[in-house]
Amino acid sequence: MPSRLAALPSGSGDTILTALAHPLAAQNLKTGALIHANLGTAALVEHALKKGEGKLTKHGALLVDTGRFTGRSVKDKYVVRDAETENSINWGPINQPMSEEHFANLKADFLKELEGQEELYVADLFGGSQPEYRVNVRVINQMAWHNLFIRTLLVRPTAEELADFVPEYTIINLPSFKANPERHGCRSDTVIAVSFTEKLILIGNTEYSGEMKKGVFGLLNYLLPAQGVMPMHCSANIGKDGKSAIFFGLSGTGKTTLSADASRTLIGDDEHGWSDTAVFNFEGGCYAKMINLSAEGEPEIYATTKMFGTILENVAMDEDTRELDFTDASKTENTRGAYPIESIPNTSEKNLGPAPSNVIMLTADAFGVLPPIARLTADQAMYYFLSGYTAKVAGTEIGVTEPEATFSTCFGAAFMPRHPSVYGNLLKERIAKGNVQCWLVNTGWTGGKYGTGSRMPIKATRALLNAVLDGDMDKVEFRKDPNFGFDVPVHVPVLAAAGIDQTILDPRSTWADVADYDATAKKLVQLFIDNFAQFEAHVDEGVRNAAPAPVAA
């Protein structure tokens, strides 16, 4: 049965409903559903409220609950293993294979489920802001708020671009679909399956919206290296001097916070490509952590929670006053907010900027060993990029008192379909080609490990980053770190101006027990060495020699 267009909802404001330039039937997608095609923000909020998918907060944001999944279902994600992917995917526990036969069964069952839907939401969007490298992505949703989310997070075409939009890749997201492990070759009744050959991503039995966003990220991570473009899990911004900086970092290291600086122009907070001519955002929106958010600590992000069109996931709210409680983690620590990038002041008009002058790798070292900032050579940058180190704080189990090291290759292992060396070598080439300065910044602990020391003052981190981005680090003296071999500044004048003692630059001197520091540093060095063993055969001698070495006893 041919698809039908929905009527324009009353009071939808910015929405002009148009037919799909390339109908679902042209993709062999049959459905009798009422199709809501490329609705705008106001209309999608109305639909979500009418269907009971969310509630309005006091200040007009849309609050939703993602059900039992409050994060990505990593163990339920698969890539179809076929002639296209056999030798190009880095197969393993992250990139799990699904057979062509199982995917054929899954696709058939998905399309049957699709055919029986009463209404669907379809958004035609771009993955990537640089026209030469973007991909046309069509997203088909059961839920209005899911469609609003992906419309917020990806790049929104103009009306003219929609008029002749032809999808290259399609995402079908059906939370109602339950997979059959035996028939579909998966682990549970939840499934995320990617076929690069069929250019199709199927998401079933999860309401967590981030699966769609990360699906597009994984797509671009696969496609762009073949075009010589470096895909990155990073934030990026531009200074008043017109120079760009990129910030790599895992969750909790400050990637979003530190890039949302009112004195700099934001390119994006999460996913970017680095081409010969630009750093470009994959997205048209931001997806920030909300836990413990405050107007004092992160004013730009906090302001978005009071804006119509922002989507808040799993944030606690007083039902009577509709006031939000960002400190409440009873549902999850992973409370999130999605908002258009233009909700942040001073953002890049085209979501791109010049190739970077500085690469900053953020780590939250809960061992309290790493200095607040260190300068890296190109070889060291590749070493720490492949390592992707941060540390989690000690858990709540009895007897668990030590921080836990986390190594996520390329600061985004879960989204990297190709072998890590592909991305590492691309980064090294780009750094050398652009004569880019590289830095490792510790936003974790100082004065001792977690439980003894204290969190690195954000004003110290900001002051040091400003010194880097303003060129002031070119004027300071550096020492060689005895354990890690990178260069550490001895004295940075801006710290004094921020009221920060210079001793913070030498972690060992901040510990009450230097013998304990030495033992902890030796342990962390060994963790790096053990983790990097998997990459040694794939990197050159310069990168192997960039490994840390413990100080001899």
Side-chain angles (χ1 to χ4, degrees):
M1 184 184 297
S3 301
R4 294 171 287 150
L5 280 178
L8 182 65
S10 61
S12 58
D14 63 344
T15 303
I16 299 174
L17 190 62
T18 59
L20 295 168
H22 191 77
L24 296 184
Q27 298 179 265
N28 293 318
L29 301 176
K30 300 176 182 178
T31 180
L34 189 64
I35 301 298
H36 303 286
N38 292 311
L39 294 185
T41 299
L44 287 168
V45 170
E46 285 182 345
H47 277 248
L49 293 173
K50 183 178 179 181
K51 296 173 69 178
E53 295 175 358
K55 301 175 181 179
L56 283 184
T57 67
K58 181 177 180 178
H59 297 285
L62 179 67
L63 178 66
V64 298
D65 188 310
T66 65
R68 68 187 181 99
F69 289 102
T70 59
R72 290 178 301 103
S73 187
V74 178
K75 293 181 180 179
D76 294 308
K77 185 175 180 180
Y78 301 86
V79 178
V80 179
R81 193 168 196 157
D82 56 20
E84 161 70 26
T85 58
E86 177 64 43
N87 299 313
S88 57
I89 296 292
N90 183 39
W91 302 108
I94 290 174
N95 296 307
Q96 301 179 99
M98 175 179 281
S99 72
E100 293 177 83
E101 293 75 20
H102 281 135
F103 185 77
N105 291 340
L106 183 67
K107 179 183 175 182
D109 294 344
F110 248 83
L111 296 189
K112 185 177 180 181
E113 183 97 0
L114 189 75
E115 193 169 348
Q117 296 302 303
E118 293 185 3
E119 58 182 342
L120 292 166
Y121 297 85
V122 181
D124 289 334
L125 302 158
F126 295 133
S129 297
Q130 188 168 4
E132 303 95 303
Y133 301 112
R134 70 190 182 193
V135 295
N136 293 6
V137 180
R138 170 167 287 173
V139 186
I140 303 171
N141 297 111
Q142 281 182 313
M143 303 182 77
W145 87 259
H146 276 177
N147 207 244
L148 174 61
F149 172 89
I150 201 63
R151 183 183 182 276
T152 301
L153 265 294
L154 293 188
V155 179
R156 296 166 287 281
T158 64
E160 292 76 16
E161 289 168 332
L162 282 176
D164 58 4
F165 188 99
V166 178
E168 299 171 71
Y169 292 84
T170 300
I171 297 173
I172 304 175
N173 185 1
L174 303 178
S176 67
F177 181 90
K178 293 188 182 298
N180 179 325
E182 184 176 352
R183 176 169 165 76
H184 301 138
C186 51
R187 182 185 72 101
S188 72
D189 55 5
T190 297
V191 67
I192 303 96
V194 182
S195 172
F196 289 106
T197 298
E198 297 201 35
K199 300 183 176 182
L200 183 62
I201 300 175
L202 304 175
I203 303 171
N205 196 39
T206 172
E207 293 184 30
Y208 183 67
S209 59
E211 297 289 6
M212 295 180 288
K213 164 187 157 70
K214 293 305 183 185
V216 176
F217 187 23
L219 199 68
L220 290 165
N221 282 351
Y222 180 77
L223 297 172
L224 292 180
Q227 301 174 67
V229 176
M230 172 68 182
M232 304 173 293
H233 184 210
C234 71
S235 57
N237 60 26
I238 313 168
K240 293 177 182 177
D241 57 3
K243 294 182 179 179
S244 297
I246 58 177
F247 300 77
F248 289 105
L250 298 170
S251 181
T253 58
K255 179 165 55 70
T256 298
T257 299
L258 293 169
S259 59
D261 184 332
S263 68
R264 296 175 64 82
T265 299
L266 181 67
I267 300 172
D269 81 323
D270 200 31
E271 298 164 358
H272 294 79
W274 182 352
S275 69
D276 286 337
T277 58
V279 168
F280 62 95
N281 195 350
F282 287 174
E283 303 174 289
C286 302
Y287 193 37
K289 276 202 164 189
M290 295 285 114
I291 194 70
N292 296 322
L293 183 70
S294 69
E296 297 73 30
E298 299 168 273
E300 293 85 7
I301 297 172
Y302 184 82
T304 68
T305 67
K306 299 179 181 294
M307 296 179 185
F308 177 79
T310 292
I311 307 160
L312 299 173
E313 295 179 354
N314 303 315
V315 176
M317 181 179 74
D318 185 297
E319 291 293 335
D320 293 327
T321 65
R322 298 296 174 107
E323 291 281 5
L324 299 168
D325 182 358
F326 296 108
T327 66
D328 188 335
S330 56
K331 168 77 175 180
T332 176
E333 287 272 347
N334 192 36
T335 51
R336 292 275 181 167
Y339 47 88
I341 192 169
E342 56 266 26
S343 295
I344 297 290
N346 197 26
T347 53
S348 169
E349 184 180 352
K350 295 184 177 180
N351 294 346
L352 53 79
S357 300
N358 285 283
V359 168
I360 294 147
M361 300 183 190
L362 302 169
T363 179
D365 176 29
F367 290 93
V369 167
L370 295 178
I373 194 165
R375 185 174 61 190
L376 307 177
T377 65
D379 285 327
Q380 288 171 335
M382 183 172 174
Y383 183 93
Y384 287 98
F385 176 71
L386 288 175
S387 297
Y389 166 72
T390 193
K392 297 177 181 178
V393 299
T396 55
E397 294 177 33
I398 295 174
V400 180
T401 58
E402 287 290 308
E404 179 185 343
T406 298
F407 294 96
S408 182
T409 306
C410 308
F411 294 98
F415 326 119
M416 303 296 178
R418 297 183 184 271
H419 192 276
S421 61
V422 172
Y423 308 104
N425 283 317
L426 264 173
L427 179 67
K428 187 178 175 183
E429 290 168 14
R430 291 256 167 234
I431 289 169
K433 188 174 182 179
N435 194 27
V436 179
Q437 286 198 311
C438 301
W439 309 85
L440 183 68
V441 171
N442 175 22
T443 61
W445 271 255
T446 182
K449 67 187 74 172
Y450 171 78
T452 303
S454 57
R455 193 73 192 253
M456 194 73 67
I458 191 167
K459 64 179 181 178
T461 302
R462 286 198 184 278
L464 291 168
L465 283 175
N466 288 338
V468 165
L469 300 174
D470 294 341
D472 293 339
M473 280 294 191
D474 298 337
K475 308 165 189 174
V476 307
E477 178 188 351
F478 286 82
R479 65 177 176 85
K480 192 75 68 177
D481 186 274
N483 290 294
F484 292 88
F486 41 49
D487 292 336
V488 181
V490 175
H491 180 91
V492 182
V494 294
L495 283 181
I500 304 292
D501 194 314
Q502 299 287 333
T503 58
I504 201 171
L505 294 168
D506 181 7
R508 190 173 187 267
S509 71
T510 67
W511 282 50
D513 185 342
V514 294
D516 189 19
Y517 172 87
D518 291 340
T520 306
K522 184 176 181 179
K523 176 182 177 180
L524 182 58
V525 165
Q526 193 59 51
L527 289 171
F528 268 97
I529 292 169
D530 292 345
N531 173 73
F532 203 81
Q534 62 185 306
F535 305 122
E536 288 184 348
H538 302 279
V539 300
D540 60 30
E541 185 178 6
V543 178
R544 289 195 294 272
N545 291 339
V551 176

